[in-house]
């Protein structure tokens, strides 16, 4: 692994837009990554992290982190319950990633519009931070074609959405997420006559 990119919104409870890049080789981070970056970014993400950490302090941050760790199993089992109800499954990534979880969207079939519509449904119901990835899509960026755009690999076997058990989450928020996901799954199954 050359570098790890950590989203500050999921790890440090700040607005979306910042990241921390770390890696085992200092020279790689300093030369390869920092020199390819144009340096026109906003100071806002750095300031957000600084103010949040100062406000929380070590005790506050550790308390939130420990609560998140305690809720991981509840988050996973809640997603699993909803997924199984609609013939879907939570993808197994917990060995490597205990923050973001993915749930298949196979009941939507192969229509990309149905997948993006599901993403729209969960967003309009106040599920923020979730991301829908449609399989077999491609996108060209700077002249380079990316197969399976948005997924970790090309030609992934399923459409899926991700949801994060982020720092600061509460059991009540997980229950609200479950209720909203259940409604979205129910509506899409009804529309597709499943």
């Amino acid at each position: 692994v050359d570098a790890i990119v950590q989203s500050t919104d999921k790890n440090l409870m700040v607005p979306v837009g910042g990241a921390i890049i770390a890696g085992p080789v200092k020279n790689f981070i300093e030369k390869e990554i920092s020199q390819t970056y144009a340096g026109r970014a906003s100071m806002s993400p750095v300031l957000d992290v600084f103010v949040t950490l100062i406000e929380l302090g070590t005790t506050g941050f550790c308390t939130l982190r420990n609560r998140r760790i305690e809720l991981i199993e509840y988050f996973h089992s809640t997603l699993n319950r909803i997924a199984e109800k609609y013939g879907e499954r939570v993808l197994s990534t917990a060995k490597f990633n205990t923050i973001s979880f993915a749930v298949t969207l196979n009941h939507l079939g192969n229509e990309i519009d149905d997948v993006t519509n599901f993403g729209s449904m969960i967003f309009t119901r106040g599920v923020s931070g979730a991301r829908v990835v449609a399989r077999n899509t491609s996108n060209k960026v700077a002249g380079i074609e990316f197969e399976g755009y948005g997924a970790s690999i090309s030609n992934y076997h399923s459409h899926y959405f991700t949801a994060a058990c982020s720092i600061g989450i509460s059991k009540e928020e997980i229950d609200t997420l479950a209720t909203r996901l259940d409604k979205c799954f129910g509506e899409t199954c009804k529309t597709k006559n499943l």
Side-chain angles (χ1 to χ4, degrees), residues 6-7 14 30 32 77 99-100 114 117-118 149 158 162 192:
Q6 305 167 61
S7 300
V14 296
E30 288 179 351
E32 301 296 325
S77 64
I99 295 176
S100 293
D114 290 340
N117 186 50
F118 185 84
Y149 187 76
S158 301
T162 62
K192 296 186 81 57

Side-chain angles (χ1 to χ4, degrees), residues 76-104:
H76 183 267
S77 64
T78 300
L79 281 180
N80 200 50
R81 179 176 44 83
I82 299 297
E84 285 180 351
K85 180 177 177 179
Y86 295 99
E88 301 294 351
R89 68 187 179 95
V90 176
L91 298 169
S92 179
T93 60
K95 182 177 178 182
F96 304 104
N97 186 342
T98 59
I99 295 176
S100 293
F101 294 83
V103 177
T104 61

Side-chain angles (χ1 to χ4, degrees), residues 15 17 67 75-76 79 92 94 103 111 117 122 128 144 146-147 168 182 184 187 191:
R67 185 178 341 146
F75 188 88
H76 183 267
L79 281 180
S92 179
V103 177
E111 295 297 321
N117 186 50
I122 59 178
S128 62
I144 300 169
F146 289 91
E147 293 296 325
D182 192 26
C184 291
E187 287 178 34
T191 302

Side-chain angles (χ1 to χ4, degrees), residues 3-189:
I4 299 167
V5 179
Q6 305 167 61
S7 300
T8 54
D9 60 302
K10 294 174 190 69
N11 294 294
L12 299 170
M13 217 169 70
V14 296
V16 173
I20 296 171
I21 302 173
V25 181
K26 183 178 178 181
N27 191 42
F28 179 76
I29 303 297
E30 288 179 351
K31 301 253 190 271
E32 301 296 325
I33 294 179
S34 67
Q35 287 184 0
T36 59
Y37 181 67
R40 292 185 295 274
S42 168
M43 176 67 180
S44 294
V46 174
L47 191 58
D48 289 340
V49 169
F50 177 73
V51 169
T52 300
L53 291 178
I54 292 296
E55 173 66 26
L56 288 173
T58 304
T59 303
F61 178 77
C62 289
T63 300
L64 291 176
R65 187 196 61 210
N66 291 339
R67 185 178 341 146
R68 186 195 75 77
I69 291 168
E70 291 167 5
L71 288 171
I72 290 170
E73 184 54 40
Y74 184 73
F75 188 88
H76 183 267
S77 64
T78 300
L79 281 180
N80 200 50
R81 179 176 44 83
I82 299 297
E84 285 180 351
K85 180 177 177 179
Y86 295 99
E88 301 294 351
R89 68 187 179 95
V90 176
L91 298 169
S92 179
T93 60
K95 182 177 178 182
F96 304 104
N97 186 342
T98 59
I99 295 176
S100 293
F101 294 83
V103 177
T104 61
L105 294 172
N106 294 323
H107 77 285
L108 296 174
N110 290 319
E111 295 297 321
I112 303 298
D113 287 347
D114 290 340
V115 177
T116 56
N117 186 50
F118 185 84
S120 214
M121 288 175 71
I122 59 178
F123 178 77
T124 58
R125 283 155 184 80
V127 177
S128 62
R131 184 173 66 94
V132 171
V133 178
R135 64 184 297 269
N136 296 330
T137 59
S138 64
N139 196 9
K140 194 176 271 193
V141 178
I144 300 169
E145 188 79 22
F146 289 91
E147 293 296 325
Y149 187 76
S152 299
I153 61 171
S154 301
N155 302 317
Y156 197 69
H157 59 75
S158 301
H159 305 299
Y160 63 91
F161 77 91
T162 62
C165 185
S166 302
I167 194 165
I169 197 165
S170 67
K171 187 176 183 293
E172 294 75 24
E173 289 171 321
I174 296 170
D175 293 338
T176 300
L177 169 67
T179 300
R180 292 175 183 176
L181 286 175
D182 192 26
K183 286 181 183 177
C184 291
F185 272 111
E187 287 178 34
T188 57
C189 286

